[in-house]
Amino acid sequence: MFDWSMIVAIAVAALGTSFLSGVFGMIGGLVLMGVLLLFLPVPAAMTLHAITQMTANGWRAVVWHRHIMWRILPGYLLGSAIVFGLLAWAQFTPPKAWVYICLGIMPFAARMLPREHAPDIRRKGASVMVGASVMGLHVLAGVSGAVLDMFFLARDLDRRLVVATKAMSQSIGHAIKFAYFTFVAVAPLKVEPATISRALDVPLWVYGMAAGLAICGTTLAKPVLHRFSNEAFQLWSRRLVLGIGGVYLVQGGVALTQ
């Protein structure tokens, strides 16, 4: 199934999108999900995306560990566990057209909420909402960065705290997503654990390649983030995520008509 052109495209996407996420704390996952869906069925795209983004976000969390807001972790895990349990019970796998449409809608939905009314990650109960939202969107769309970003819009939040805390939460979220699409989503197919990688059409070495390139892209992004001001960081994040969202809405509309 994997030819060299596909391997090169995935490698370039893994490196480039981890660099984007390393600079902006998001966006890279949106782009990578779209690229993988061009070549792979939804469960396979989700698992490869999960490994790549889990590695990129995990390494970014290590790089910026001094800026992580650790107090949100218990609530985040609680919200994730609740939604994971509900989705595992339903054994839901979204159609590819739905994934594209969710990818496209999320950035616009996140930006429609006025900044002064946006939820704040520091408020009581916000971390539980974040965990539940991230887990649900990871299954429906593969990514959740645009909605997660709503909780980090307060102007007094430092860009390094934003990138570090989102990296920590996203690395956990993608690990849970990998478990869901590896063990839960394939359950209706009655696939034995030993043959799961074959059922998902992703050779194990491709996971390793994507993870290694994700670390490289994240490392290259650190000096670039240092050069950004907080204002420029917010401006370019908004422009890029809305542009990418528009592309995915078009792709989702096309997929529905086919």
Side-chain angles (χ1 to χ4, degrees), residues 32 36 44 46 73 112 132 174 191 197 213 247:
L32 181 62
L36 294 179
M46 291 289 192
L73 186 58
M112 286 176 64
H174 284 294
V191 179
S197 65
L213 290 170
V247 172

Side-chain angles (χ1 to χ4, degrees), residues 15-234:
L15 180 64
T17 57
S18 61
F19 177 82
L20 267 179
S21 289
V23 175
F24 295 105
M26 59 173 186
I27 299 171
L30 273 172
V31 177
L32 181 62
M33 193 72 245
V35 172
L36 294 179
L37 286 171
L38 294 175
F39 303 111
L40 299 170
V42 170
M46 291 289 192
T47 56
L48 184 53
H49 184 272
I51 287 293
T52 306
Q53 289 293 291
M54 180 175 62
T55 306
N57 281 284
W59 183 246
R60 189 157 63 253
V62 171
V63 170
W64 298 103
H65 68 278
R66 294 182 180 179
H67 299 275
I68 293 175
M69 193 186 301
W70 290 106
R71 60 188 173 86
I72 76 165
L73 186 58
Y76 179 88
L77 291 175
L78 175 61
S80 298
I82 292 171
V83 174
F84 182 91
L86 291 173
L87 291 172
W89 173 76
Q91 294 186 340
F92 176 72
T93 301
K96 187 174 289 190
W98 287 20
V99 177
Y100 276 129
I101 291 173
C102 286
L103 288 173
I105 288 175
M106 282 195 305
F108 294 96
R111 297 300 174 180
M112 286 176 64
L113 191 66
R115 182 182 289 268
E116 60 270 19
H117 299 303
D120 191 325
I121 189 62
R122 296 168 292 187
R123 292 176 184 165
K124 185 177 180 180
S127 59
V128 178
M129 292 175 59
V130 169
S133 301
V134 166
M135 184 61 226
L137 288 168
H138 274 172
V139 173
L140 291 173
V143 297
S144 61
V147 170
L148 179 62
D149 189 48
M150 288 194 307
F151 291 84
F152 292 88
L153 289 177
R155 294 186 183 276
D156 60 331
L157 287 175
D158 183 80
R159 66 191 183 283
R160 289 162 294 191
L161 180 146
V162 172
V163 169
T165 307
K166 287 171 65 177
M168 179 271 293
S169 61
Q170 288 284 55
S171 61
I172 296 171
H174 284 294
I176 298 172
K177 181 180 76 176
F178 179 80
Y180 182 88
F181 281 98
T182 302
F183 299 106
V184 177
V186 298
L189 303 176
K190 296 181 172 55
V191 179
E192 295 297 326
T195 61
I196 281 175
S197 65
R198 190 188 312 160
L200 295 174
D201 296 318
V202 181
L204 293 178
W205 66 266
V206 175
Y207 287 115
M209 176 195 72
L213 290 170
I215 292 175
C216 292
T218 301
T219 303
L220 292 171
K222 184 177 181 180
V224 178
L225 180 59
H226 273 303
R227 293 176 180 269
F228 267 88
S229 66
N230 285 343
E231 292 75 17
F233 173 81
Q234 293 285 352

